[in-house]
Amino acid sequence: MPSLSDRLPTFPWDRLEPCKATAAAHPDGIVDLSVGTPVDPVPELIRRALTDAADTPGYPTVWGTQALRDALTGWCERRLGARGITDRNVLPVVGSKELVAWLPTQLGLGPGDRVAFPRLAYPTYEVGARLAGAEYVAYDDPTELDPDGLSLLWLNSPSNPTGQVLPREKLREVVAWARAHGVLVLSDECYLELGWDADPVSVLDQDVCGGSFEGVVAVHSLSKRSNLAGYRAAFVAGDAAVLGDLLQIRKHGGMMTPAPVQAATVAALGDDTHVAEQRERYRARRTALRGALEAAGFRIDHSEASLYLWATRDEPCWDTVAALAERGILVAPGDFYGPAGARHVRVALTATDERVTAAVRRLKD
């Protein structure tokens, strides 16, 4: 019997291991700028909320506590401009990657359905389509897709890996096009808090969705904004009918966010100070790395938002990866995100100040 894993590509990060070993052999140690995993401490108020809720022996609910749903709707209205949002429009999930990977399956997609995602994209969009047995297609402009059989359209702004931000007018155009053709829009907005040269906008913004959440769902994560990758704290917001179906499916599947993580999420979404402080850490690292890369002959494309610099020196990406590994710096090859990235590398801002300083020094050598 064929294995489900047979549908999947080789896990891309396994291919990076030889270069990681080279970088780790540097006398001053590796500077790992390949994976966007937070390295800074979890804010104290969030840790306190987690530990205060540790004595919760009963099962949590899939929909979350009323306090959590209130925190989700309040944040969406305040931060995303989602007017009139109610708790029927929100659903906590066990990390955004889990949601992305299993969403097509949970929506009932399969052979004959198509899933679309950007030409340069987070690989899990394709993985989700493959797991469901659906077809998939990469696009440059979603409104130029053939809508026949297209069931799910992924947007990603700010983009991983490029940091590109879709303007409000383009988001409005895409939402209108998708509604006209009965296509569900899923907008991955996990980097929305990290705009540098542009101000990212949500599909739930009233000016984008026209005051209705029909046919649109936004995906959000606390991993980047609050250093909670280890907590697996994320949520979706938007179309109540879609989220209602997902709620029932996830109840059957037991996909419950742990109660202490729910409490930590309430604390995280209720505080903007720690988000501003973390942004400034990333801003400083971004400024230092960008300057060093450009001085070393790299061109930075897009990168107006997110946790990455999309860099190139107009050579095959694996040549760049290997050369930087010799300096003890590990970056992600652009072709991890699609063939269109074959001459770029993704440089993450998620390293300590000390390691970023080391990278800057090595780039000057």
Side-chain angles (χ1 to χ4, degrees):
M1 181 177 178
S3 169
L4 183 59
S5 65
D6 292 340
R7 296 182 186 174
L8 304 180
T10 301
F11 188 63
W13 296 99
D14 291 345
R15 296 165 50 204
L16 198 57
E17 286 300 317
C19 292
K20 185 174 184 178
T22 298
H26 190 279
D28 187 35
I30 189 173
V31 178
D32 193 343
L33 306 178
S34 63
V35 182
T37 186
V39 297
D40 299 303
V42 174
E44 172 60 28
L45 86 161
I46 301 175
R47 283 184 279 160
R48 187 165 57 248
L50 183 84
T51 56
D52 286 350
D55 187 16
T56 50
Y59 289 110
T61 65
V62 173
W63 199 18
T65 62
Q66 186 64 56
L68 175 59
R69 299 197 300 272
D70 288 346
L72 297 177
T73 56
W75 184 84
C76 287
E77 185 165 12
R78 184 179 83 250
R79 183 63 184 85
L80 306 183
R83 304 284 177 82
I85 192 167
T86 74
D87 58 5
R88 297 286 172 183
N89 301 112
V90 294
L91 180 65
V93 297
V94 192
S96 58
K97 183 170 186 175
E98 171 266 311
L99 184 281
V100 172
W102 290 107
L103 184 68
T105 299
Q106 292 175 5
L107 291 175
L109 273 58
D113 292 302
R114 285 192 303 141
V115 175
F117 45 78
R119 182 79 57 194
L120 283 164
Y122 183 44
T124 312
Y125 304 140
E126 179 181 328
V127 166
R130 286 176 177 251
L131 285 170
E135 300 172 17
Y136 52 89
V137 59
Y139 65 76
D140 295 306
D141 182 339
T143 63
E144 295 176 357
L145 288 165
D146 179 358
D148 186 38
L150 183 62
S151 301
L152 179 61
L153 170 65
W154 281 105
L155 299 178
N156 181 208
S157 175
S159 164
N160 173 17
T162 70
Q164 184 177 16
V165 173
L166 295 176
R168 186 185 305 267
E169 296 74 18
K170 185 61 180 179
L171 288 172
R172 186 186 302 124
E173 177 191 359
V174 173
V175 168
W177 178 88
R179 283 174 171 166
H181 295 288
V183 178
L184 177 63
V185 173
L186 261 292
S187 181
D188 180 348
E189 301 174 356
C190 289
Y191 297 92
L192 185 134
E193 297 274 30
L194 297 166
W196 311 115
D197 304 323
D199 186 15
V201 179
S202 172
V203 292
L204 303 185
D205 184 284
Q206 182 169 267
D207 290 342
V208 173
C209 68
S212 167
F213 305 131
E214 180 184 358
V216 293
V217 175
V219 181
H220 282 271
S221 167
L222 281 74
S223 294
K224 318 301 183 185
R225 70 184 296 281
S226 300
N227 301 332
L228 296 188
Y231 284 43
R232 311 313 300 135
F235 64 95
V236 287
D239 191 318
V242 173
L243 299 193
D245 283 346
L246 283 176
L247 175 59
Q248 296 307 314
I249 292 163
R250 294 171 72 85
K251 282 181 179 179
H252 283 291
M255 293 178 169
M256 300 171 282
T257 302
V261 174
Q262 293 189 30
T265 301
V266 173
L269 292 178
D271 177 72
D272 294 331
T273 301
H274 77 276
V275 180
E277 291 172 351
Q278 188 60 44
R279 277 177 53 84
E280 290 310 307
R281 293 187 189 104
Y282 286 135
R283 185 190 301 277
R285 293 165 187 166
R286 177 180 184 269
T287 299
L289 284 169
R290 179 166 193 155
L293 286 165
E294 290 177 334
F298 285 85
R299 184 180 76 247
I300 307 299
D301 291 332
H302 298 301
S303 306
E304 57 261 35
S306 84
L307 278 180
Y308 312 106
L309 294 170
W310 188 236
T312 183
R313 54 186 189 188
D314 293 316
E315 65 183 5
C317 61
W318 283 96
D319 291 354
T320 307
V321 171
L324 289 174
E326 292 291 339
R327 299 188 184 190
I329 301 170
L330 188 67
V331 298
D335 66 3
F336 276 10
Y337 309 94
R343 299 182 74 82
H344 283 75
V345 295
R346 194 193 74 170
V347 183
L349 310 180
T350 49
T352 64
D353 293 342
E354 183 273 333
R355 289 288 83 187
V356 168
T357 299
V360 169
R361 184 171 60 249
R362 294 174 195 182
L363 286 165
K364 291 179 179 177
D365 291 342

